[in-house]
Amino acid sequence: MAICVRDVRLVAMCDCGDDFCQSIHTAVHQQGKPYGEGHRCVPLSPSKGMLVLDVVYSRIMYIEILDRAPMHSLKP
């Protein structure tokens, strides 16, 4: 099953406060609630750090980005 990346949008950055986390919410989801039926984790194999997609029925809901070089800020 293919996961559709072209429709992924940045909804919010993770606010956990961990300095190694740069995770991204790509859909609105109530904090503390499980994703429920159709949810699966898709671990990727980056050369450094950790990347995991939280997917619900082929829609990427969250991109977990851990222990990687800092992303560039879009702020002016």
Side-chain angles (χ1 to χ4, degrees):
M1 178 171 85
I3 298 170
C4 188
V5 179
R6 69 183 155 107
D7 294 328
V8 170
R9 302 289 182 259
L10 171 62
V11 172
M13 297 299 292
C14 179
D15 60 357
C16 71
D18 292 333
D19 61 350
F20 57 86
C21 178
Q22 301 180 80
S23 300
I24 301 169
H25 296 273
T26 59
V28 176
H29 179 74
Q30 188 173 2
Q31 186 175 4
K33 297 284 185 177
Y35 286 108
E37 188 176 332
H39 173 252
R40 65 188 181 118
C41 291
V42 180
L44 304 178
S45 299
S47 59
K48 293 183 181 180
M50 186 170 115
L51 294 173
V52 179
L53 306 178
D54 278 305
V55 179
V56 177
Y57 293 121
S58 300
R59 181 175 182 198
I60 300 171
M61 304 292 284
Y62 188 76
I63 303 171
E64 192 171 3
I65 306 167
L66 303 173
D67 295 320
R68 294 185 49 90
M71 291 188 280
H72 297 286
S73 175
L74 296 177
K75 296 178 184 177

